[in-house]
């Protein structure tokens, strides 16, 4: 994979992901000294590139990388993303919330959850990072992480019975700055499943479906 800026090549690498943020680019690739596991995970480096100065800086490394969730969120100069490590075919994997500080060029792990779903979603609402957790036990959750205080709390819980296959599962979260919308997978025990969108105000008062 090549990154091109106008008429010349910036870098050549084994591509994992890239995320334009204002005048910068965050990109991930597999380094030459990467370690590969028997179950398919590998080492990934995180790099920062500035379009104007053409500077390239490595800001972090994650060993045992398995998956990165689409749709990272930028809040106040920080890029937040979910990264999964370990063996996704077993319970021996971890879902990590990563904070890339674009101004100070640092990478911090906010939390790590064993057997966390690699397909969780997130959205920004002011200083809050909204996190949809697809399924944990017999429930899915909408959580928030306050980026200024570091506080985490559950905003909403949706129950789902894994034996009868009945209940609701939060699939994704989005916000337009005025409301919070959730895509809900609803099941009544028989396929096909249905989808609905529930809309809340910013204080999580239900508005409509």
């Amino acid at each position: 994979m090549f990154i091109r800026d106008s008429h010349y090549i910036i870098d050549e690498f084994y591509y994992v992901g890239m995320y334009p943020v204002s005048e910068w680019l965050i990109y991930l690739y597999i380094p030459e000294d990467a370690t590969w596991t028997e179950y398919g995970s590998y080492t990934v480096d995180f790099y920062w590139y500035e379009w104007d100065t053409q500077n390239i800086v490595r800001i972090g490394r994650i060993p045992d990388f398995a998956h990165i969730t689409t749709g990272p969120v930028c809040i106040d100069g920080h890029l937040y993303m979910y990264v999964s490590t370990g063996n996704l075919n077993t319970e021996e994997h971890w879902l990590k919330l990563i904070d890339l500080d674009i101004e100070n060029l640092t990478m911090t792990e906010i939390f790590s959850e064993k057997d966390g779903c690699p397909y969780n979603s997130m959205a920004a609402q002011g200083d809050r990072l909204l996190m949809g957790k697809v399924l944990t036990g017999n429930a899915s959750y909408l959580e928030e992480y306050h980026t200024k205080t570091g506080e985490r709390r559950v905003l909403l819980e949706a129950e789902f019975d894994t034996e009868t296959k009945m209940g609701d599962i939060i699939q994704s979260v989005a916000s337009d700055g005025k409301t919070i919308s959730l895509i809900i997978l609803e099941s009544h025990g028989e396929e096909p499943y249905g989808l609905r969108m529930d809309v809340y105000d910013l204080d999580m008062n239900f508005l409509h479906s």
Side-chain angles (χ1 to χ4, degrees):
M1 176 72 181
F2 297 96
I3 296 182
R4 294 184 182 272
D5 184 355
S6 186
H7 301 295
Y8 62 90
I9 296 173
I10 297 168
D11 201 357
E12 179 181 359
F13 57 93
Y14 289 103
Y15 169 80
V16 176
M18 63 175 66
Y19 308 97
V21 183
S22 186
E23 63 267 33
W24 309 294
L25 177 72
I26 301 295
Y27 64 92
L28 291 65
Y29 78 87
I30 305 170
E32 292 182 358
D33 63 345
T35 300
W36 296 73
T37 67
E38 60 183 10
Y39 45 82
S41 68
Y42 44 85
T43 305
V44 166
D45 283 343
F46 288 68
Y47 274 80
W48 169 92
Y49 173 76
E50 187 172 36
W51 299 108
D52 291 341
T53 64
Q54 302 167 25
N55 289 334
I56 299 176
V57 178
R58 193 185 85 170
I59 57 178
R61 168 172 287 195
I62 292 185
D64 207 15
F65 175 95
H67 183 268
I68 186 167
T69 303
T70 57
V73 170
C74 191
I75 300 176
D76 194 24
H78 293 251
L79 189 67
Y80 297 92
M81 60 180 64
Y82 279 132
V83 171
S84 294
T85 61
N87 187 348
L88 295 181
N89 295 318
T90 71
E91 294 182 356
E92 295 300 314
H93 66 269
W94 288 260
L95 179 70
K96 303 174 184 290
L97 177 63
I98 302 298
D99 171 10
L100 297 175
D101 185 334
I102 301 172
E103 296 179 357
N104 297 306
L105 303 183
T106 59
M107 186 171 77
T108 304
E109 181 182 302
I110 303 299
F111 63 76
S112 178
E113 297 179 344
K114 185 176 181 181
D115 199 24
C117 177
Y119 309 111
N120 288 346
S121 62
M122 62 176 64
Q125 173 50 52
D127 293 331
R128 299 185 297 164
L129 180 67
L130 305 175
M131 304 176 293
K133 303 181 70 175
V134 174
L135 197 59
T136 303
N138 283 334
S140 58
Y141 301 90
L142 176 66
E143 286 190 356
E144 77 166 16
Y145 169 72
H146 199 290
T147 60
K148 299 299 184 185
T149 66
E151 178 186 5
R152 287 177 64 190
R153 66 189 182 110
V154 175
L155 300 179
L156 183 73
E157 178 180 343
E159 295 185 354
F160 182 82
D161 191 316
T162 55
E163 292 186 2
T164 63
K165 307 298 183 185
M166 297 182 65
D168 293 341
I169 299 175
I170 298 173
Q171 291 291 100
S172 65
V173 56
S175 176
D176 61 3
K178 298 179 181 179
T179 59
I180 296 171
S181 299
L182 302 177
I183 299 296
I184 306 293
L185 177 70
E186 54 183 8
S187 172
H188 304 288
E190 297 180 359
E191 294 187 3
Y193 296 108
L195 286 176
R196 74 173 191 271
M197 182 171 69
D198 291 347
V199 181
Y200 297 80
D201 66 17
L202 299 183
D203 295 319
M204 292 305 297
N205 296 306
F206 178 75
L207 298 177
H208 59 82
S209 291

